[in-house]
Amino acid sequence: MSSTQNEKCKGKHFTWSKPMSHMLLEILADEAFKGSKPSSTFKAKSFVKVVTEISQKFNVQCEPKHVDNHLKIVKKESRIIAKLKNKSGFSWDDCLKIITVLKDVYNEEVKV
C-alpha cells in the first residue's frame, strides 16, 4: 500500500476498499456461523478479529468503530437493494451483482 493510501486510513476517515469490505463480511459470516452473533449484533471479540485481520493484511490502522460504521453502511445498502428487488419491474443480475430495470420503469420511478 502506498504511503498516501496509508495516511488516508490514519486520518479522520477510514477508507474501505472492496477487498477490505469483502474480508469483513467473510469474517463476520464465519463468526455468525460459530455462534458469535447471539442476537442482532456481534460480540466485541468478532469486531476485534476483523480489526486485527484487516490491519495486518492491508497495513492500515483499523479500529472497532470503523468496523461498526462500515457494517451499518452495508446493512443500509442491503435494505435498499432488497426493497428495489421487490418492486415491480426491478430485478437482480446475479452475474454482475447489480439491480436491473427497464428504462421506462426507471423513468416512472424517478418521476415519483
Side-chain angles (χ1 to χ4, degrees), residues 1 6-7 11-12 17 32 34 47-49 55 61 63 66 68 70-71 78 81 86 89 91-92 101 105-106 108:
M1 178 173 281
N6 200 21
E7 287 171 14
K12 189 174 180 181
S17 66
K34 291 178 183 175
F47 280 17
V48 169
K49 184 173 183 177
S55 295
Q61 186 62 44
E63 297 178 19
H66 299 138
D68 186 44
H70 192 63
L71 191 56
S78 295
I81 290 169
N86 290 326
S91 61
W92 178 254
V101 62
V105 174
Y106 173 80
E108 280 300 312

Side-chain angles (χ1 to χ4, degrees), residues 2 4-5 13-14 22 25 28 30 47 49-50 53 61 66-70 75 84 86 93 96-97 99 101 107 111:
S2 73
T4 306
Q5 287 176 319
H13 299 283
F14 186 84
H22 190 262
L25 295 175
L28 291 180
D30 187 51
F47 280 17
K49 184 173 183 177
V50 172
E53 292 193 30
Q61 186 62 44
H66 299 138
V67 174
D68 186 44
N69 289 340
H70 192 63
K75 286 179 180 179
L84 286 174
N86 290 326
D93 184 325
L96 297 174
K97 306 293 186 211
I99 295 285
V101 62
N107 288 338
K111 287 181 186 178

Side-chain angles (χ1 to χ4, degrees), residues 8 13 30 34 37 46 48 57 59-60 92 99 102:
K8 254 201 271 188
H13 299 283
D30 187 51
K34 291 178 183 175
K37 187 179 185 249
S46 298
V48 169
K57 180 165 182 170
N59 194 29
V60 294
W92 178 254
I99 295 285
L102 297 172

